[in-house]
């Protein structure tokens, strides 16, 4: 059956233009890590008692998770800069009375599907036009093996999509599952379902993805172990039914958000900035490694551990960049950073080649296609392949802009919007994007932070 989603979040598009500015100087902090923020709320909601979270990302995606958890019984409040969560305990979620609107957030819907899958409740998930196009089969398949039942809309190309309803099974069936796609969201959905499932739930990851769920589950007291076998597979085993202990959590700054000022400083001549308190977990920091290999002057100062996560102040100076071939196996550690890498590549000297990125076609937008279209409008030599882009950079020469004529389509994708906002700084006469509002999903304050660095 193909039908229009009955519920959609309607926000009016707000065009914005970005022009050459800089040099960029000063010290800034970026908002809290999106992945860790979602998990902080979810695990706190499953602990019995009061958890406290500071540094939580107050972006729309994370607020969607908070609203859904409230609708399922958790008490979540903000006091000053600290969020408090009174959890219901593993197994204690209540059925939500209305559909849960996940807005633009794939992480919210996929992780919460896992949570509901092993509770004796049903929940319906809806989302905006972007989220409603994204594939949910990758989560439905493993959670069905655990016994949950799903009714989902089928898209015109035959994919299971939102709106969908999950009917959880309690007790669910423990299982071993080998991830067919490198996805931290799928891994996390299964582990969250495993919390309320008696026995061992095991996820095998042939390619490592961000490991925040494993680290945080351990921190909350779950019986979870991670081994790597001789073939390099990560084997994650979780014993249910788990009892989680409330925690005091400090969320570090998001490396995926820091990526934008970092690339901007590399590209704009004369820049010298520090982005403070950024998470540099190796499962997330691939972009910084690649930029260093391209010749970027990036150093990690004041390295420390915050809440079990490695954190540093990132010092970046304007640099001449060289094109690079990005090995496909580094992709999971920078999966959200390819749009901004493509902007860096557009200014580099020589060719940048990327492969193995078909996952980018099912993010908030088809990021290969959106980036290729936008770069072509700026006169960049770009070739779109099935699983990557090849870009021949300008060698530092400004891109062809015209803020009055060039309007980049952002397709409800925050990272496309921010990537082209940064590109605007290195055009000859600016550019416009059709909609800046999606930035609110992950990086509230993005525009003022960039203005602060440029003044
Ligand atoms: C995320 C995992 C990644 C990433 C997303 C956040 C997470 O998605 O793109 O922004 O918090 O687990 P996939 O699991 O689809 O790779």
């Amino acid at each position: 059956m193909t039908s229009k989603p009955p519920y959609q979040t309607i926000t009016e598009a707000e065009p914005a233009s970005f022009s050459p500015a800089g040099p960029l100087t000063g010290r800034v902090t970026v908002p809290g890590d999106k992945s860790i923020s979602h998990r902080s709320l979810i695990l706190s909601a499953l602990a019995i008692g009061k958890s406290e979270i500071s540094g939580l990302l107050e972006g729309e995606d994370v607020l969607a998770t908070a609203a859904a958890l409230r609708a399922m019984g958790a008490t979540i409040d903000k006091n000053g800069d600290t969020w408090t969560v009174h959890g219901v305990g593993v197994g204690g979620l209540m059925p939500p009375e209305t559909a849960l609107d996940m807005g633009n957030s794939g992480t919210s819907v996929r992780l919460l599907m896992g949570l509901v899958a092993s509770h004796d409740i049903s929940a319906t998930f809806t989302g905006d036009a972007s989220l409603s196009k994204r594939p949910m089969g990758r989560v439905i398949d493993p959670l069905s093996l655990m016994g949950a039942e799903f009714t989902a809309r089928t898209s015109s190309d035959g994919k299971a999509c939102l709106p969908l309803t999950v009917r959880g099974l309690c007790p669910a069936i423990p299982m071993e599952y080998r991830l067919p796609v490198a996805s931290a969201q799928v891994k996390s959905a299964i582990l969250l379902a495993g919390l309320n499932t008696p026995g061992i739930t095991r996820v095998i990851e042939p390619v490592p993805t961000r490991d925040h769920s494993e680290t945080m589950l351990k921190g909350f007291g779950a019986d979870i172990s991670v081994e790597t076998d001789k073939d390099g597979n990560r084997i994650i085993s979780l014993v249910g039914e788990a009892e989680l202990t409330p925690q005091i959590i400090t969320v570090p700054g998001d490396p995926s958000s820091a990526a934008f000022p970092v690339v901007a400083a590399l590209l704009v001549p004369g820049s010298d900035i520090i982005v403070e308190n950024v998470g540099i977990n190796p499962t997330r920091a691939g972009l910084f490694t690649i930029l260093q290999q391209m010749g970027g002057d990036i150093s990690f100062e004041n390295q420390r551990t915050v809440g079990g996560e490695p954190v540093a102040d990132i010092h970046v100076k304007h640099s001449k960049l060289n094109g690079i071939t990005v090995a496909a196996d580094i992709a999971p550690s920078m999966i959200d950073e390819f749009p901004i890498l493509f902007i860096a590549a557009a200014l580099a000297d020589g060719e940048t080649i990327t492969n193995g990125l078909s996952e980018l076609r099912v993010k908030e937008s088809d990021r290969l296609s959106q980036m290729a279209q936008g770069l072509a409008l700026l006169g960049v030599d770009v070739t779109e392949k099935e699983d990557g882009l090849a870009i021949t950079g300008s060698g530092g020469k400004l891109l062809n802009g015209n803020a009055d004529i060039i309007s980049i389509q952002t397709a409800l994708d925050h990272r496309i919007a921010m990537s082209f906002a940064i590109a605007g700084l290195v055009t000859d006469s600016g550019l416009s994007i059709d909609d800046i509002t999606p930035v609110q999903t992950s990086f509230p304050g993005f525009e003022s932070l960039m203005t602060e660095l440029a003044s």
Side-chain angles (χ1 to χ4, degrees), residues 262-441:
V262 164
V263 169
L266 288 174
L267 298 185
V268 175
S271 298
D272 184 343
I273 68 164
I274 292 181
V275 188
E276 296 175 339
N277 191 38
V278 181
I280 53 164
N281 181 319
T283 64
R284 296 286 301 284
L287 174 75
F288 304 132
T289 306
I290 292 294
L291 291 171
Q292 284 172 327
Q293 289 172 3
M294 292 172 81
D297 184 345
I298 299 177
S299 50
F300 299 101
E301 298 177 353
N302 195 13
Q303 293 194 35
R304 57 214 186 261
T305 302
V306 176
E309 291 281 344
V311 165
D313 301 332
I314 305 186
H315 190 169
V316 193
K317 294 180 192 161
H318 168 66
S319 310
K320 179 180 169 310
L321 299 179
N322 297 308
I324 192 169
T325 296
V326 182
D329 61 2
I330 201 173
S333 69
M334 55 180 292
I335 196 67
D336 292 333
E337 282 65 76
F338 281 96
I340 190 64
L341 174 72
F342 295 146
I343 302 297
L347 273 291
D349 195 4
E351 197 178 20
T352 294
I353 300 173
T354 56
N355 298 301
L357 301 182
S358 42
E359 271 297 295
L360 295 196
R361 295 202 181 275
V362 290
K363 294 293 181 188
E364 285 82 331
S365 69
D366 176 340
R367 287 181 171 163
L368 293 179
S369 153
Q370 293 304 133
M371 288 303 302
Q373 283 175 43
L375 287 169
L377 282 179
L378 299 175
V380 176
D381 178 353
V382 53
T383 307
E384 182 180 345
K385 300 171 295 165
E386 196 42 50
D387 66 343
L389 299 187
I391 296 170
T392 302
S394 70
K397 195 172 140 288
L398 296 177
L399 307 179
N400 302 336
N402 186 335
D404 295 332
I405 303 178
I406 295 181
S407 174
I408 308 276
Q409 303 290 308
T410 52
L412 288 177
D413 189 329
H414 52 140
R415 300 202 198 280
I416 302 289
M418 289 187 277
S419 297
F420 282 104
I422 300 304
L425 304 181
V426 285
T427 52
D428 46 13
S429 44
L431 59 78
S432 300
I433 62 173
D434 63 347
D435 190 8
I436 187 70
T437 60
V439 164
Q440 295 304 324
T441 61

Side-chain angles (χ1 to χ4, degrees), residues 34-35 39 107 110 138 182-185 210 335-336 363:
K34 184 156 73 68
S35 294
R39 289 155 172 84
T107 310
R110 292 189 176 128
R138 56 181 60 196
S183 166
Q185 292 175 353
R210 66 191 68 194
I335 196 67
D336 292 333
K363 294 293 181 188

Side-chain angles (χ1 to χ4, degrees), residues 65-89:
T65 290
L69 292 168
R70 281 194 192 105
M72 292 190 281
T75 306
I76 303 179
D77 296 301
K78 191 180 172 192
N79 305 309
D81 289 338
T82 305
W83 287 74
T84 55
V85 180
H86 287 88
V88 295

Side-chain angles (χ1 to χ4, degrees), residues 61-215:
D61 280 14
V62 174
L63 298 179
T65 290
L69 292 168
R70 281 194 192 105
M72 292 190 281
T75 306
I76 303 179
D77 296 301
K78 191 180 172 192
N79 305 309
D81 289 338
T82 305
W83 287 74
T84 55
V85 180
H86 287 88
V88 295
V90 170
L93 293 179
M94 311 287 288
E97 286 172 7
T98 55
L100 303 172
D101 183 354
M102 302 287 92
N104 190 254
S105 181
T107 310
S108 304
V109 68
R110 292 189 176 128
L111 269 53
L112 294 175
M113 280 164 72
L115 212 58
V116 171
S118 61
H119 278 73
D120 186 17
I121 61 174
S122 293
T124 296
F125 295 97
T126 64
D128 72 2
S130 153
L131 184 58
S132 301
K133 284 190 212 140
R134 298 183 65 186
M136 294 299 146
R138 56 181 60 196
V139 188
I140 293 175
D141 292 348
L143 296 177
S144 300
L145 293 173
M146 295 180 81
E149 287 174 16
F150 294 84
T151 323
R153 183 180 71 90
T154 306
S155 67
S156 52
D157 54 351
K159 292 185 300 201
C161 291
L162 299 192
L164 67 74
T165 299
V166 190
R167 161 90 238 159
L169 177 70
C170 184
I173 307 152
M175 62 154 185
E176 178 173 303
Y177 192 77
R178 187 182 169 90
L179 292 182
V181 276
S183 166
Q185 292 175 353
V186 178
K187 166 176 68 177
S188 304
I190 298 166
L191 293 174
L192 289 171
L195 283 173
N196 197 37
T197 302
I200 298 178
T201 296
R202 186 166 286 138
V203 182
I204 301 172
E205 258 195 332
V207 183
T209 64
R210 66 191 68 194
D211 60 1
H212 307 303
S213 294
E214 297 91 302
T215 305

